[in-house]
Coordinates of all heavy atoms in Angstrom, one line a residue:
M98 N -20.3 1.7 -9.1 CA -19.0 2.4 -9.0 C -18.3 2.2 -10.3 O -18.3 1.2 -10.9 CB -18.2 1.8 -7.9 CG -16.9 2.4 -7.8 SD -16.1 2.2 -6.2 CE -15.2 0.7 -6.4
L99 N -17.7 3.3 -10.8 CA -17.0 3.3 -12.1 C -15.5 2.9 -11.9 O -14.9 3.3 -10.9 CB -17.0 4.7 -12.7 CG -18.4 5.2 -13.1 CD1 -18.3 6.7 -13.6 CD2 -19.0 4.4 -14.2
T100 N -15.0 2.1 -12.8 CA -13.6 1.8 -12.7 C -12.9 2.2 -14.0 O -13.5 2.5 -15.0 CB -13.5 0.2 -12.5 OG1 -14.1 -0.4 -13.6 CG2 -14.1 -0.2 -11.2
G101 N -11.6 2.1 -14.0 CA -10.9 2.5 -15.2 C -10.3 3.9 -15.0 O -10.5 4.6 -14.0
S102 N -9.6 4.4 -16.1 CA -9.0 5.7 -16.0 C -10.0 6.7 -16.4 O -10.9 6.5 -17.3 CB -7.8 5.7 -16.9 OG -8.1 5.4 -18.2
P103 N -9.9 8.0 -15.9 CA -10.8 9.0 -16.3 C -10.5 9.5 -17.7 O -9.4 9.4 -18.2 CB -10.5 10.1 -15.3 CG -9.1 9.8 -14.8 CD -8.9 8.4 -14.9
V104 N -11.6 10.0 -18.3 CA -11.5 10.5 -19.7 C -11.7 12.0 -19.7 O -12.7 12.4 -19.1 CB -12.5 9.8 -20.6 CG1 -12.5 10.4 -22.0 CG2 -12.2 8.3 -20.7
D105 N -10.8 12.8 -20.3 CA -11.0 14.2 -20.4 C -11.9 14.4 -21.6 O -11.5 14.4 -22.8 CB -9.7 14.9 -20.6 CG -9.8 16.4 -20.6 OD1 -11.0 16.9 -20.5 OD2 -8.8 17.1 -20.8
V106 N -13.2 14.6 -21.4 CA -14.2 14.7 -22.4 C -14.0 15.9 -23.3 O -14.1 15.8 -24.6 CB -15.7 14.7 -21.8 CG1 -16.7 14.9 -22.9 CG2 -15.9 13.4 -21.1
K107 N -13.6 17.0 -22.7 CA -13.4 18.2 -23.5 C -12.3 18.0 -24.5 O -12.4 18.4 -25.7 CB -13.1 19.4 -22.6 CG -12.9 20.7 -23.4 CD -12.6 21.9 -22.4 CE -12.3 23.1 -23.2 NZ -11.9 24.2 -22.3
E108 N -11.2 17.5 -24.1 CA -10.0 17.2 -24.9 C -10.3 16.2 -26.0 O -10.0 16.3 -27.1 CB -8.8 16.8 -24.1 CG -7.6 16.6 -24.9 CD -7.0 17.8 -25.6 OE1 -7.3 18.9 -25.2 OE2 -6.3 17.6 -26.6
T109 N -11.0 15.1 -25.6 CA -11.4 14.1 -26.5 C -12.3 14.6 -27.6 O -12.1 14.3 -28.8 CB -12.1 12.9 -25.8 OG1 -11.2 12.4 -24.8 CG2 -12.5 11.8 -26.8
M110 N -13.3 15.4 -27.3 CA -14.2 16.0 -28.3 C -13.4 17.0 -29.2 O -13.7 17.1 -30.4 CB -15.4 16.7 -27.6 CG -16.3 15.8 -26.9 SD -17.3 14.8 -28.1 CE -16.3 13.4 -28.4
A111 N -12.5 17.8 -28.6 CA -11.7 18.7 -29.4 C -10.9 17.9 -30.4 O -10.8 18.4 -31.6 CB -10.8 19.5 -28.5
R112 N -10.3 16.8 -30.0 CA -9.5 16.0 -31.0 C -10.4 15.4 -32.0 O -10.0 15.3 -33.2 CB -8.7 15.0 -30.2 CG -7.5 15.6 -29.5 CD -6.6 14.6 -29.0 NE -7.1 14.1 -27.7 CZ -6.7 12.9 -27.1 NH1 -5.9 12.1 -27.8 NH2 -7.2 12.6 -26.0
F113 N -11.6 14.9 -31.6 CA -12.5 14.4 -32.6 C -12.9 15.5 -33.6 O -12.9 15.2 -34.8 CB -13.7 13.9 -31.9 CG -14.8 13.4 -32.9 CD1 -14.7 12.2 -33.6 CD2 -15.9 14.2 -33.0 CE1 -15.7 11.8 -34.4 CE2 -16.9 13.8 -33.9 CZ -16.8 12.6 -34.6
T114 N -13.2 16.7 -33.1 CA -13.6 17.8 -34.0 C -12.4 18.1 -35.0 O -12.7 18.4 -36.1 CB -14.0 19.0 -33.2 OG1 -15.1 18.6 -32.3 CG2 -14.4 20.2 -34.0
T115 N -11.2 18.1 -34.5 CA -10.1 18.4 -35.3 C -10.0 17.3 -36.4 O -9.7 17.7 -37.6 CB -8.8 18.3 -34.5 OG1 -8.9 19.3 -33.5 CG2 -7.5 18.6 -35.3
D116 N -10.2 16.1 -36.1 CA -10.2 15.0 -37.1 C -11.2 15.2 -38.2 O -11.0 15.0 -39.3 CB -10.4 13.6 -36.5 CG -9.1 13.1 -35.8 OD1 -8.0 13.7 -36.0 OD2 -9.2 12.2 -35.0
V117 N -12.4 15.6 -37.7 CA -13.5 15.9 -38.7 C -13.2 17.0 -39.6 O -13.4 17.0 -40.8 CB -14.9 16.1 -38.0 CG1 -15.9 16.6 -38.9 CG2 -15.3 14.8 -37.2
I118 N -12.7 18.1 -39.0 CA -12.3 19.3 -39.9 C -11.2 18.9 -40.8 O -11.3 19.3 -42.0 CB -11.9 20.5 -38.9 CG1 -13.1 21.0 -38.2 CG2 -11.2 21.6 -39.8 CD1 -12.8 22.0 -37.1
A119 N -10.2 18.2 -40.3 CA -9.1 17.8 -41.2 C -9.6 17.0 -42.4 O -9.1 17.1 -43.5 CB -8.0 17.1 -40.4
S120 N -10.5 16.1 -42.1 CA -11.0 15.1 -43.1 C -11.9 15.8 -44.1 O -11.7 15.7 -45.3 CB -11.7 14.0 -42.4 OG -12.3 13.1 -43.4
C121 N -12.8 16.6 -43.6 CA -13.8 17.2 -44.5 C -13.3 18.4 -45.2 O -13.5 18.6 -46.4 CB -15.0 17.7 -43.7 SG -16.0 16.3 -43.0
A122 N -12.5 19.3 -44.6 CA -12.1 20.5 -45.2 C -10.8 20.3 -46.0 O -10.6 20.9 -47.0 CB -11.8 21.6 -44.1
F123 N -9.9 19.5 -45.5 CA -8.6 19.4 -46.1 C -8.3 18.0 -46.8 O -7.3 17.8 -47.5 CB -7.4 19.7 -45.1 CG -7.5 21.1 -44.6 CD1 -8.0 21.3 -43.3 CD2 -7.1 22.2 -45.3 CE1 -8.1 22.6 -42.8 CE2 -7.1 23.4 -44.9 CZ -7.6 23.7 -43.6
G124 N -9.2 17.1 -46.5 CA -9.0 15.7 -47.1 C -7.8 15.0 -46.5 O -7.2 14.2 -47.2
I125 N -7.4 15.3 -45.3 CA -6.3 14.6 -44.7 C -6.7 13.8 -43.5 O -7.8 14.1 -42.9 CB -5.1 15.6 -44.3 CG1 -5.6 16.6 -43.2 CG2 -4.6 16.3 -45.5 CD1 -4.5 17.4 -42.7
N126 N -5.9 12.9 -43.1 CA -6.2 12.1 -41.9 C -5.3 12.5 -40.8 O -4.1 12.1 -40.8 CB -6.1 10.6 -42.2 CG -6.6 9.7 -41.1 OD1 -7.2 10.2 -40.1 ND2 -6.5 8.4 -41.3
S127 N -5.7 13.3 -39.9 CA -4.8 13.9 -38.9 C -4.6 12.9 -37.7 O -3.6 13.1 -37.0 CB -5.4 15.2 -38.3 OG -6.5 15.0 -37.6
N128 N -5.5 12.0 -37.5 CA -5.3 11.0 -36.4 C -5.1 11.6 -35.0 O -4.3 11.1 -34.3 CB -4.2 10.0 -36.7 CG -4.6 9.0 -37.7 OD1 -5.8 8.6 -37.7 ND2 -3.7 8.5 -38.5
S129 N -5.7 12.8 -34.7 CA -5.4 13.4 -33.4 C -6.0 12.6 -32.3 O -5.6 12.8 -31.1 CB -5.9 14.9 -33.5 OG -7.3 14.9 -33.6
L130 N -7.0 11.8 -32.5 CA -7.5 10.9 -31.4 C -6.4 9.9 -31.0 O -6.2 9.7 -29.8 CB -8.8 10.2 -31.8 CG -10.1 11.0 -31.7 CD1 -11.2 10.3 -32.4 CD2 -10.4 11.4 -30.3
K131 N -5.7 9.4 -32.0 CA -4.7 8.4 -31.7 C -3.4 9.1 -31.3 O -2.7 8.6 -30.5 CB -4.5 7.5 -33.0 CG -3.6 6.3 -32.7 CD -3.6 5.5 -34.0 CE -2.7 4.2 -33.7 NZ -2.7 3.4 -34.9
Y132 N -3.1 10.2 -32.0 CA -1.8 10.9 -31.7 C -2.2 12.3 -31.3 O -2.3 13.2 -32.1 CB -1.0 11.0 -33.0 CG -0.6 9.6 -33.5 CD1 -1.2 9.2 -34.7 CD2 0.2 8.8 -32.9 CE1 -1.0 7.9 -35.2 CE2 0.5 7.5 -33.4 CZ -0.1 7.1 -34.5 OH 0.2 5.8 -35.0
P133 N -2.3 12.6 -30.0 CA -2.7 13.9 -29.5 C -1.8 15.1 -29.9 O -2.2 16.2 -30.0 CB -2.7 13.8 -28.0 CG -2.6 12.3 -27.7 CD -2.1 11.7 -28.9
N134 N -0.5 14.8 -30.2 CA 0.4 15.8 -30.6 C 0.6 15.9 -32.1 O 1.7 16.3 -32.6 CB 1.7 15.6 -29.9 CG 1.6 15.8 -28.4 OD1 0.8 16.6 -27.9 ND2 2.3 14.9 -27.6
A135 N -0.4 15.5 -32.9 CA -0.3 15.5 -34.3 C 0.0 16.9 -34.8 O -0.5 17.9 -34.2 CB -1.5 14.9 -35.0
E136 N 0.7 17.0 -35.9 CA 1.1 18.4 -36.4 C -0.1 19.2 -36.7 O -0.2 20.4 -36.3 CB 1.9 18.2 -37.7 CG 2.5 19.5 -38.3 CD 3.3 19.3 -39.5 OE1 3.0 18.3 -40.3 OE2 4.2 20.0 -39.7
F137 N -1.1 18.7 -37.4 CA -2.3 19.5 -37.7 C -3.0 20.0 -36.4 O -3.4 21.2 -36.4 CB -3.3 18.6 -38.5 CG -4.5 19.4 -39.0 CD1 -4.4 20.2 -40.2 CD2 -5.7 19.3 -38.4 CE1 -5.5 20.9 -40.7 CE2 -6.8 20.0 -38.9 CZ -6.7 20.8 -40.0
R138 N -3.1 19.2 -35.4 CA -3.7 19.5 -34.2 C -2.9 20.6 -33.5 O -3.5 21.6 -32.9 CB -3.8 18.3 -33.3 CG -4.3 18.6 -31.9 CD -5.8 18.5 -31.7 NE -6.1 18.6 -30.3 CZ -7.0 19.6 -29.9 NH1 -7.6 20.4 -30.8 NH2 -7.3 19.6 -28.6
K139 N -1.6 20.5 -33.5 CA -0.8 21.5 -32.9 C -1.0 22.9 -33.5 O -1.2 23.9 -32.7 CB 0.7 21.1 -33.1 CG 1.7 22.1 -32.5 CD 3.1 21.6 -32.6 CE 3.6 21.9 -34.1 NZ 5.0 21.7 -34.3
Y140 N -1.1 23.0 -34.8 CA -1.3 24.3 -35.4 C -2.7 24.8 -35.3 O -2.9 26.0 -35.1 CB -0.9 24.3 -36.9 CG 0.6 24.2 -37.1 CD1 1.2 23.1 -37.5 CD2 1.4 25.3 -36.8 CE1 2.6 23.1 -37.7 CE2 2.8 25.3 -37.0 CZ 3.4 24.2 -37.4 OH 4.7 24.1 -37.5
I141 N -3.7 24.0 -35.3 CA -5.1 24.4 -35.1 C -5.3 24.9 -33.7 O -6.0 25.9 -33.5 CB -6.0 23.2 -35.5 CG1 -6.0 22.9 -37.0 CG2 -7.5 23.6 -35.1 CD1 -6.3 24.0 -37.9
R142 N -4.6 24.3 -32.7 CA -4.7 24.8 -31.4 C -4.2 26.2 -31.2 O -4.7 27.0 -30.4 CB -4.0 23.9 -30.4 CG -4.7 22.6 -30.1 CD -4.0 21.9 -29.0 NE -4.4 22.5 -27.8 CZ -4.6 21.9 -26.7 NH1 -4.4 20.7 -26.6 NH2 -4.9 22.6 -25.6
K143 N -3.2 26.5 -32.0 CA -2.6 27.9 -31.9 C -3.6 29.0 -32.3 O -3.5 30.1 -31.9 CB -1.4 28.0 -32.8 CG -0.2 27.3 -32.2 CD 1.1 27.6 -33.0 CE 2.3 26.9 -32.4 NZ 3.5 27.3 -33.1
I144 N -4.6 28.6 -33.2 CA -5.6 29.5 -33.6 C -6.4 30.0 -32.4 O -6.8 31.2 -32.4 CB -6.5 28.9 -34.7 CG1 -5.6 28.7 -36.0 CG2 -7.7 29.8 -35.0 CD1 -6.4 27.9 -37.1
F145 N -6.7 29.1 -31.5 CA -7.6 29.4 -30.4 C -6.9 29.9 -29.1 O -7.5 30.2 -28.1 CB -8.5 28.2 -30.1 CG -9.3 27.9 -31.3 CD1 -9.0 26.8 -32.1 CD2 -10.4 28.7 -31.6 CE1 -9.8 26.5 -33.2 CE2 -11.2 28.4 -32.7 CZ -10.9 27.3 -33.5
E146 N -5.6 29.9 -29.1 CA -4.8 30.4 -28.0 C -4.9 31.9 -27.9 O -4.7 32.6 -28.9 CB -3.4 30.0 -28.0 CG -3.1 28.6 -27.8 CD -1.6 28.2 -28.0 OE1 -0.8 29.0 -28.4 OE2 -1.3 27.0 -27.8
M147 N -5.2 32.5 -26.7 CA -5.4 33.9 -26.6 C -4.3 34.5 -25.7 O -3.9 33.8 -24.7 CB -6.8 34.2 -26.0 CG -7.9 34.2 -27.0 SD -7.5 35.2 -28.4 CE -8.9 36.2 -28.4
S148 N -3.9 35.7 -26.0 CA -3.0 36.5 -25.2 C -3.4 37.9 -25.3 O -4.4 38.2 -26.1 CB -1.5 36.3 -25.7 OG -1.4 36.9 -27.0
L149 N -2.8 38.8 -24.6 CA -3.2 40.2 -24.6 C -3.0 40.8 -26.0 O -3.8 41.4 -26.6 CB -2.4 41.0 -23.6 CG -2.7 42.5 -23.5 CD1 -4.2 42.7 -23.1 CD2 -1.8 43.1 -22.5
Q150 N -1.8 40.5 -26.6 CA -1.5 41.0 -27.9 C -2.5 40.4 -29.0 O -2.9 41.1 -29.8 CB -0.1 40.6 -28.3 CG 0.3 41.1 -29.7 CD 1.7 40.7 -30.1 OE1 2.4 40.0 -29.3 NE2 2.2 41.1 -31.3
R151 N -2.8 39.1 -28.9 CA -3.7 38.5 -29.8 C -5.1 39.1 -29.7 O -5.8 39.4 -30.6 CB -3.7 37.0 -29.6 CG -4.6 36.3 -30.4 CD -3.9 35.5 -31.5 NE -4.7 34.9 -32.4 CZ -5.3 33.7 -32.3 NH1 -4.9 32.9 -31.4 NH2 -6.1 33.3 -33.3
G152 N -5.6 39.3 -28.4 CA -6.9 39.9 -28.2 C -6.9 41.3 -28.8 O -7.9 41.7 -29.4
L153 N -5.9 42.1 -28.6 CA -5.8 43.4 -29.1 C -5.9 43.4 -30.7 O -6.5 44.2 -31.3 CB -4.5 44.1 -28.7 CG -4.4 45.6 -29.1 CD1 -5.5 46.4 -28.5 CD2 -3.0 46.1 -28.6
A154 N -5.1 42.4 -31.3 CA -5.1 42.3 -32.7 C -6.5 41.9 -33.3 O -7.0 42.5 -34.3 CB -4.1 41.2 -33.2
V155 N -7.2 41.1 -32.6 CA -8.6 40.7 -33.0 C -9.5 41.9 -32.9 O -10.3 42.2 -33.8 CB -9.1 39.5 -32.2 CG1 -10.6 39.2 -32.4 CG2 -8.3 38.2 -32.4
L156 N -9.5 42.6 -31.8 CA -10.4 43.7 -31.6 C -10.1 44.8 -32.6 O -11.1 45.3 -33.2 CB -10.2 44.3 -30.2 CG -10.9 43.5 -29.0 CD1 -10.5 44.1 -27.7 CD2 -12.4 43.4 -29.2
T157 N -8.9 45.1 -32.8 CA -8.6 46.2 -33.8 C -8.9 45.8 -35.2 O -9.3 46.6 -36.0 CB -7.1 46.7 -33.7 OG1 -6.2 45.6 -33.9 CG2 -6.8 47.4 -32.3
S158 N -8.7 44.5 -35.5 CA -9.0 44.1 -36.9 C -10.5 44.2 -37.2 O -10.9 44.5 -38.3 CB -8.5 42.7 -37.2 OG -9.2 41.8 -36.4
F159 N -11.4 44.0 -36.2 CA -12.8 44.2 -36.4 C -13.3 45.6 -36.3 O -14.1 46.0 -37.0 CB -13.6 43.3 -35.4 CG -13.5 41.8 -35.7 CD1 -12.9 40.9 -34.9 CD2 -14.1 41.4 -36.9 CE1 -12.9 39.6 -35.2 CE2 -14.1 40.0 -37.2 CZ -13.5 39.1 -36.4
F160 N -12.8 46.3 -35.3 CA -13.3 47.6 -35.0 C -12.5 48.8 -35.6 O -13.1 49.9 -35.8 CB -13.5 47.8 -33.5 CG -14.5 46.9 -32.9 CD1 -14.1 45.9 -32.0 CD2 -15.9 46.9 -33.2 CE1 -15.0 45.0 -31.5 CE2 -16.8 46.1 -32.7 CZ -16.4 45.1 -31.8
A161 N -11.3 48.6 -35.8 CA -10.4 49.7 -36.3 C -9.3 49.0 -37.2 O -8.1 49.0 -36.8 CB -9.8 50.5 -35.2
P162 N -9.7 48.5 -38.4 CA -8.7 47.8 -39.2 C -7.5 48.7 -39.6 O -6.4 48.2 -39.7 CB -9.5 47.4 -40.5 CG -10.9 47.7 -40.2 CD -11.0 48.5 -39.0
Y163 N -7.7 50.0 -39.7 CA -6.6 50.9 -40.0 C -5.5 50.8 -38.9 O -4.3 50.8 -39.2 CB -7.1 52.3 -40.2 CG -6.0 53.3 -40.4 CD1 -5.3 53.3 -41.7 CD2 -5.5 54.2 -39.4 CE1 -4.3 54.2 -41.9 CE2 -4.5 55.1 -39.7 CZ -3.9 55.1 -40.9 OH -2.8 55.9 -41.1
L164 N -5.9 50.8 -37.6 CA -5.0 50.7 -36.5 C -4.2 49.4 -36.5 O -3.0 49.3 -36.2 CB -5.7 50.9 -35.2 CG -6.2 52.3 -34.9 CD1 -7.0 52.3 -33.5 CD2 -5.1 53.3 -34.9
S165 N -4.9 48.4 -36.9 CA -4.2 47.1 -37.0 C -3.1 47.1 -38.1 O -2.0 46.5 -37.9 CB -5.3 46.0 -37.4 OG -4.7 44.7 -37.5
T166 N -3.3 47.8 -39.2 CA -2.3 48.0 -40.2 C -1.2 48.9 -39.7 O 0.0 48.5 -39.9 CB -2.9 48.6 -41.5 OG1 -4.0 47.7 -41.9 CG2 -1.9 48.6 -42.6
V167 N -1.5 50.0 -39.1 CA -0.5 50.9 -38.6 C 0.4 50.3 -37.6 O 1.7 50.4 -37.6 CB -1.2 52.2 -38.0 CG1 -0.2 53.0 -37.3 CG2 -1.9 53.0 -39.1
F168 N -0.1 49.5 -36.6 CA 0.7 48.9 -35.6 C 1.2 47.5 -35.9 O 1.8 46.9 -35.1 CB -0.1 48.8 -34.3 CG -0.4 50.2 -33.7 CD1 -1.7 50.7 -33.5 CD2 0.7 51.0 -33.3 CE1 -1.9 51.9 -33.0 CE2 0.4 52.2 -32.7 CZ -0.9 52.7 -32.6
K169 N 0.9 47.1 -37.2 CA 1.3 45.8 -37.7 C 0.9 44.6 -36.7 O 1.8 43.8 -36.4 CB 2.8 45.8 -38.0 CG 3.2 46.8 -39.0 CD 4.6 46.8 -39.3 CE 4.9 47.8 -40.4 NZ 6.4 48.0 -40.6
L170 N -0.3 44.6 -36.3 CA -0.8 43.6 -35.4 C -1.2 42.4 -36.2 O -1.9 42.5 -37.2 CB -2.0 44.0 -34.5 CG -1.7 45.2 -33.6 CD1 -3.0 45.7 -33.0 CD2 -0.7 44.8 -32.5
K171 N -0.7 41.2 -35.8 CA -0.9 40.0 -36.6 C -2.0 39.1 -35.8 O -1.9 39.0 -34.6 CB 0.3 39.1 -36.8 CG 1.4 39.9 -37.5 CD 1.5 39.5 -38.9 CE 2.7 40.3 -39.5 NZ 2.8 40.1 -40.9
F172 N -2.9 38.5 -36.6 CA -3.9 37.6 -36.0 C -3.2 36.3 -35.6 O -3.5 35.8 -34.5 CB -5.1 37.4 -36.9 CG -6.2 36.7 -36.4 CD1 -7.0 37.3 -35.4 CD2 -6.5 35.4 -36.8 CE1 -8.1 36.6 -34.9 CE2 -7.5 34.7 -36.3 CZ -8.3 35.3 -35.3
L173 N -2.4 35.8 -36.4 CA -1.6 34.6 -36.2 C -0.2 34.8 -36.4 O 0.2 35.7 -37.2 CB -2.1 33.5 -37.2 CG -3.5 32.9 -37.0 CD1 -3.9 32.0 -38.1 CD2 -3.7 32.3 -35.7
D174 N 0.7 34.0 -35.8 CA 2.1 34.1 -36.0 C 2.4 33.6 -37.4 O 1.6 32.9 -38.1 CB 2.9 33.3 -34.9 CG 2.6 31.8 -35.0 OD1 1.5 31.5 -34.6 OD2 3.5 31.1 -35.3
E175 N 3.6 33.9 -37.9 CA 4.0 33.6 -39.3 C 4.1 32.1 -39.5 O 3.7 31.6 -40.6 CB 5.4 34.2 -39.5 CG 5.7 34.4 -41.0 CD 4.8 35.4 -41.7 OE1 4.4 36.4 -41.0 OE2 4.5 35.2 -42.9
V176 N 4.5 31.3 -38.6 CA 4.7 29.8 -38.8 C 3.3 29.2 -39.0 O 3.1 28.4 -39.9 CB 5.5 29.2 -37.6 CG1 5.5 27.7 -37.7 CG2 6.8 29.8 -37.5
T177 N 2.4 29.6 -38.1 CA 1.0 29.0 -38.2 C 0.3 29.4 -39.5 O -0.3 28.6 -40.1 CB 0.2 29.5 -37.0 OG1 0.9 29.1 -35.8 CG2 -1.2 28.8 -37.0
T178 N 0.5 30.7 -39.8 CA -0.1 31.2 -41.1 C 0.5 30.5 -42.3 O -0.3 30.0 -43.2 CB 0.2 32.7 -41.2 OG1 -0.3 33.4 -40.1 CG2 -0.4 33.3 -42.5
N179 N 1.7 30.2 -42.3 CA 2.3 29.5 -43.4 C 1.9 28.1 -43.5 O 1.6 27.5 -44.6 CB 3.9 29.5 -43.4 CG 4.4 30.9 -43.7 OD1 3.7 31.7 -44.4 ND2 5.6 31.2 -43.2
Y180 N 1.7 27.4 -42.3 CA 1.2 26.0 -42.3 C -0.2 25.9 -42.9 O -0.5 25.1 -43.7 CB 1.3 25.4 -40.9 CG 0.8 24.0 -40.8 CD1 1.6 23.0 -41.2 CD2 -0.5 23.8 -40.4 CE1 1.1 21.7 -41.2 CE2 -1.0 22.5 -40.4 CZ -0.2 21.4 -40.8 OH -0.7 20.2 -40.7
I181 N -1.1 26.8 -42.4 CA -2.5 26.8 -42.8 C -2.5 27.1 -44.3 O -3.3 26.5 -45.1 CB -3.3 27.7 -42.0 CG1 -3.4 27.2 -40.5 CG2 -4.7 27.9 -42.6 CD1 -4.0 28.1 -39.6
R182 N -1.8 28.1 -44.7 CA -1.7 28.5 -46.2 C -1.3 27.3 -47.0 O -1.9 27.0 -48.1 CB -0.8 29.7 -46.4 CG -0.8 30.2 -47.8 CD 0.0 31.5 -47.9 NE -0.6 32.6 -47.2 CZ 0.0 33.4 -46.4 NH1 1.3 33.4 -46.2 NH2 -0.7 34.4 -45.8
K183 N -0.2 26.6 -46.6 CA 0.3 25.4 -47.3 C -0.8 24.3 -47.4 O -1.0 23.7 -48.4 CB 1.5 24.9 -46.6 CG 2.1 23.7 -47.3 CD 3.3 23.2 -46.5 CE 2.8 22.3 -45.4 NZ 3.8 21.5 -44.7
M184 N -1.5 24.1 -46.3 CA -2.6 23.1 -46.3 C -3.7 23.5 -47.2 O -4.2 22.6 -48.0 CB -3.2 22.9 -44.8 CG -2.2 22.3 -43.9 SD -1.6 20.7 -44.4 CE -3.1 19.8 -44.5
V185 N -4.1 24.7 -47.2 CA -5.2 25.1 -48.1 C -4.8 25.0 -49.6 O -5.5 24.4 -50.4 CB -5.6 26.6 -47.8 CG1 -6.5 27.2 -48.9 CG2 -6.3 26.7 -46.4
W186 N -3.6 25.5 -49.9 CA -3.1 25.4 -51.3 C -2.9 23.9 -51.8 O -3.2 23.6 -52.9 CB -1.9 26.2 -51.5 CG -2.3 27.7 -51.7 CD1 -2.0 28.7 -50.8 CD2 -3.1 28.3 -52.7 NE1 -2.5 29.9 -51.2 CE2 -3.2 29.6 -52.4 CE3 -3.7 27.8 -53.9 CZ2 -3.9 30.5 -53.2 CZ3 -4.4 28.6 -54.7 CH2 -4.5 30.0 -54.3
S187 N -2.4 23.1 -50.9 CA -2.2 21.7 -51.3 C -3.6 21.0 -51.5 O -3.7 20.2 -52.4 CB -1.4 20.9 -50.3 OG -2.1 20.8 -49.0
T188 N -4.6 21.4 -50.7 CA -6.0 20.9 -50.9 C -6.5 21.4 -52.2 O -7.1 20.6 -53.0 CB -6.9 21.3 -49.7 OG1 -6.3 20.8 -48.5 CG2 -8.3 20.7 -49.9
V189 N -6.4 22.6 -52.5 CA -6.9 23.2 -53.8 C -6.2 22.5 -55.0 O -6.9 22.2 -55.9 CB -6.7 24.7 -53.8 CG1 -6.9 25.3 -55.2 CG2 -7.5 25.4 -52.8
E190 N -4.9 22.3 -54.9 CA -4.2 21.7 -56.0 C -4.6 20.2 -56.2 O -4.7 19.8 -57.3 CB -2.7 21.8 -55.8 CG -2.1 23.1 -56.0 CD -0.6 23.2 -55.6 OE1 0.0 22.1 -55.3 OE2 -0.1 24.3 -55.6
Y191 N -4.9 19.6 -55.1 CA -5.3 18.2 -55.1 C -6.7 18.0 -55.8 O -6.9 17.1 -56.6 CB -5.3 17.5 -53.8 CG -5.8 16.1 -53.7 CD1 -5.0 15.1 -54.2 CD2 -7.0 15.8 -53.2 CE1 -5.4 13.8 -54.2 CE2 -7.5 14.5 -53.2 CZ -6.7 13.5 -53.7 OH -7.1 12.2 -53.7
R192 N -7.6 18.9 -55.4 CA -8.9 18.8 -55.9 C -9.0 19.4 -57.3 O -9.8 19.2 -58.1 CB -9.9 19.5 -54.9 CG -10.0 18.8 -53.6 CD -11.0 19.3 -52.7 NE -11.0 18.5 -51.5 CZ -11.7 18.8 -50.5 NH1 -12.6 19.8 -50.5 NH2 -11.7 18.1 -49.4

């Protein structure tokens, strides 16, 4: 018989993967295993959240990019885009 508290394996692996990506790609220590609500984790999660508008933006950007431009469909919201852009440029400047 097992004792102790249950572990959400999917969430734990997602946080571990986030830590690996943050460390390897950006050279930062996100500590999402220790701090589940870490800033880096919060913005990376937004990339994978789906909605009807987001699904439409993804489909049109691949199959009809012109329509994506005409209807001004965004793949990511402005705040997430700016955060990721800032992380990439700070990594480039550091290296």
Side-chain angles (χ1 to χ4, degrees):
M98 179 159 92
L99 299 173
T100 59
S102 60
V104 175
D105 185 359
V106 176
K107 181 179 177 184
E108 180 64 22
T109 303
M110 291 289 88
R112 287 191 276 158
F113 174 75
T114 303
T115 301
D116 284 347
V117 170
I118 291 169
S120 177
C121 294
F123 298 102
I125 62 170
N126 192 2
S127 68
N128 281 331
S129 62
L130 279 171
K131 190 174 183 181
Y132 305 107
N134 296 322
E136 184 180 32
F137 187 80
R138 173 89 174 124
K139 180 178 77 169
Y140 286 109
I141 294 301
R142 284 188 76 143
K143 286 185 178 186
I144 294 173
F145 299 103
E146 290 176 356
M147 281 306 235
S148 66
L149 180 60
Q150 181 181 0
R151 179 107 188 267
L153 184 62
V155 170
L156 284 174
T157 56
S158 67
F159 283 115
F160 296 113
Y163 176 74
L164 291 178
S165 183
T166 305
V167 169
F168 292 117
K169 298 180 182 175
L170 298 173
K171 304 261 184 183
F172 187 71
L173 292 173
D174 63 290
E175 199 68 31
V176 175
T177 305
T178 302
N179 289 336
Y180 178 80
I181 294 171
R182 186 176 290 138
K183 182 183 83 172
M184 292 301 301
V185 169
W186 280 112
S187 65
T188 302
V189 168
E190 288 175 6
Y191 177 76
R192 292 185 181 182

